[in-house]
Amino acid sequence: MPDDVIRETAVTDERTPGGSRGLASQEFFFLLQRIDRLDEKLSGEIKRLDEKLSGEINRLDTRIERLDEKLTGEVKMMDGKLNNIRFWAIGAVVTLIAGFAGTIVTLALR
């Protein structure tokens, strides 16, 4: 027999299909009511905590996104600086090679 049918039979003190009467005492009915009230209170507390934690998680997500954007900007800026240094170094090497080549050619033609 399903639990809800047993509970309803216990609450109303009706005769069960098997023929027995008085499935539960008044104390049992009182305990069922207490359990139901405690369940409602706990469910309410769980819902309240869930809402609070969801809010905290959303705030942390927002903060993480801001930090990610900031760090992404910093990485792009550093990448740009590295490219500038790389081009400067390449230019310096080419200039030195061209200078040495010019000096060698000048010395060779004398």
Side-chain angles (χ1 to χ4, degrees), residues 25-72:
S25 66
Q26 291 296 325
E27 292 85 9
F28 182 72
F29 175 66
F30 173 76
L31 290 174
L32 281 177
Q33 287 179 328
R34 285 291 289 163
I35 290 170
D36 284 341
R37 276 189 248 135
L38 288 173
D39 181 49
E40 288 174 8
K41 284 183 180 180
L42 286 174
S43 295
E45 284 294 314
I46 289 170
K47 183 178 179 183
R48 191 175 62 83
L49 289 173
D50 183 47
E51 290 170 356
K52 184 178 179 181
L53 289 175
S54 294
E56 288 294 321
I57 289 170
N58 288 337
R59 279 192 287 278
L60 288 174
D61 282 345
T62 302
R63 187 172 178 198
I64 288 170
E65 287 174 10
R66 283 194 314 251
L67 287 172
D68 183 47
E69 289 172 4
K70 183 177 180 180
L71 289 174
T72 300

